[in-house]
Amino acid sequence: MQAEMSAWAVERFGERAASVRGRLAASLLEAASNAQDAQKSSRSDKRYAYGSTLMARRYEALVDAFRHEPGFQVVRPHGSPHHLVVLDGNLLLPFRYADDDTTPISEARVGDGRVSALVRELFTRFGPKTRFEQEVLDLGMDDDGEAAGLRELAAARPLLAQLPADTRLIPVAYAANAQASLLKLYWGEAELIDDMGRVHWVHCEQIPLLTALPWVVQGVPAAEPGAAPRFDQGAEPGLPLSSRPAADRANGGPIPADGELGVEPPSTGTTGRP
């Protein structure tokens, strides 16, 4: 049922590439379902419950899925409440790129606004060498905002420096919404080309989402020669019908005709029946 694994996926995860891809899809499906449940429970027409739950669960579900796998480790960047999964030297970065299934993956953005200093550092340190970069626009960031970003980056760098130099970033982009749950899912390698989170995919492939298989009626296999007969291969027992014996004439009961099922009349309590 699964599509053939690409050479890229096998190169990154070896023989367990199919298992990693399946766990990844199952984890994000679970996270999207949890977010839907939270939204329903909130009974609000605002999407705050959905968004905050999905934000947290997309990281937690990945940790739960891979924690017992060989080569697993987690990184919790300074100041972040979330853990990032590293598996076989591959750092998984899940993000929602759209809330519909029509936005092309080529237009994916990491986040809805300016990316954080941490995200920039992840792409710079562990992403492919940048070949595409748009001119940085002056968006009016004040000195306080720039200083905060530099402090965040300075705090994150020592922890990221503990990861092996050959660690590679694998962005995991998905489309989802509160009504339809998880719609599309992609993974690959990408360059961050501007501070608004736009990326250029060096390699990108869609991950098939896990679906429930339809129930299939399977036929009963034929018995092998000489095998003992099956319980369902015996002759069906008959249900013969016969007339009841003639009722005691002393009771005045009717005598059923041949082949007719007689009904015994209720006793009056005055019969001479022994």
Side-chain angles (χ1 to χ4, degrees):
M1 296 298 295
Q2 290 194 5
E4 182 179 355
M5 298 305 303
S6 68
W8 173 85
V10 174
E11 188 266 332
R12 295 314 304 152
F13 296 102
E15 296 181 352
R16 59 174 175 167
S19 173
V20 171
R21 188 179 68 174
R23 286 175 182 266
L24 190 59
S27 299
L28 291 176
L29 278 169
E30 178 183 353
S33 177
N34 296 155
Q36 282 185 305
D37 292 342
Q39 183 62 43
K40 292 177 183 177
S41 299
S42 73
R43 304 183 67 179
S44 172
D45 59 353
K46 304 298 187 294
R47 294 290 180 259
Y48 302 134
Y50 175 81
S52 60
T53 302
L54 185 57
M55 169 68 77
R57 287 295 296 149
R58 68 188 182 193
Y59 299 107
E60 296 167 350
L62 290 183
V63 173
D64 293 340
F66 294 111
R67 69 167 65 250
H68 300 299
E69 290 290 307
F72 166 85
Q73 63 182 122
V74 294
V75 177
R76 183 177 179 180
H78 177 79
S80 173
H82 309 299
H83 291 83
L84 298 176
V85 169
V86 181
L87 189 67
D88 287 344
N90 300 287
L91 194 158
L92 304 177
L93 179 63
F95 66 93
R96 185 167 69 153
Y97 77 93
D99 58 5
D100 58 68
D101 60 358
T102 59
T103 300
I105 187 61
S106 59
E107 297 180 6
R109 290 175 51 194
V110 184
D112 297 326
R114 292 180 65 91
V115 297
S116 66
L118 172 62
V119 170
R120 288 198 306 271
E121 184 70 5
L122 289 175
F123 276 91
T124 301
R125 186 181 291 267
F126 303 121
K129 184 177 179 180
T130 302
R131 293 175 295 173
F132 296 85
E133 186 171 358
Q134 293 185 354
E135 182 179 355
V136 178
L137 300 178
D138 182 6
L139 298 179
M141 178 178 289
D142 56 26
D143 292 340
D144 290 341
E146 184 176 356
L150 292 175
R151 288 194 299 271
E152 177 188 359
L153 185 57
R157 277 177 171 166
L159 180 62
L160 298 179
Q162 297 176 14
L163 294 174
D166 60 351
T167 299
R168 286 166 66 175
L169 180 68
I170 296 186
V172 180
Y174 63 91
N177 61 48
Q179 290 75 37
S181 187
L182 195 62
L183 296 168
K184 288 185 177 180
L185 179 61
Y186 297 86
W187 66 350
E189 295 182 62
E191 307 166 357
L192 184 67
I193 60 177
D194 64 20
D195 283 345
M196 298 309 294
R198 296 180 180 88
V199 298
H200 170 260
W201 292 95
V202 176
H203 177 84
C204 182
E205 58 188 56
Q206 187 169 1
I207 297 178
L209 300 180
L210 305 180
T211 55
L213 297 177
W215 184 72
V216 179
V217 179
Q218 300 187 6
V220 178
E224 298 180 0
R230 293 168 48 92
F231 77 94
D232 58 352
Q233 293 177 334
E236 293 185 5
L239 295 174
L241 301 178
S242 60
S243 60
R244 295 178 54 190
D248 192 337
R249 292 181 180 275
N251 295 331
I255 301 177
D258 290 342
E260 181 183 357
L261 290 178
V263 179
E264 182 177 352
S267 172
T268 62
T270 59
T271 65
R273 182 176 301 169

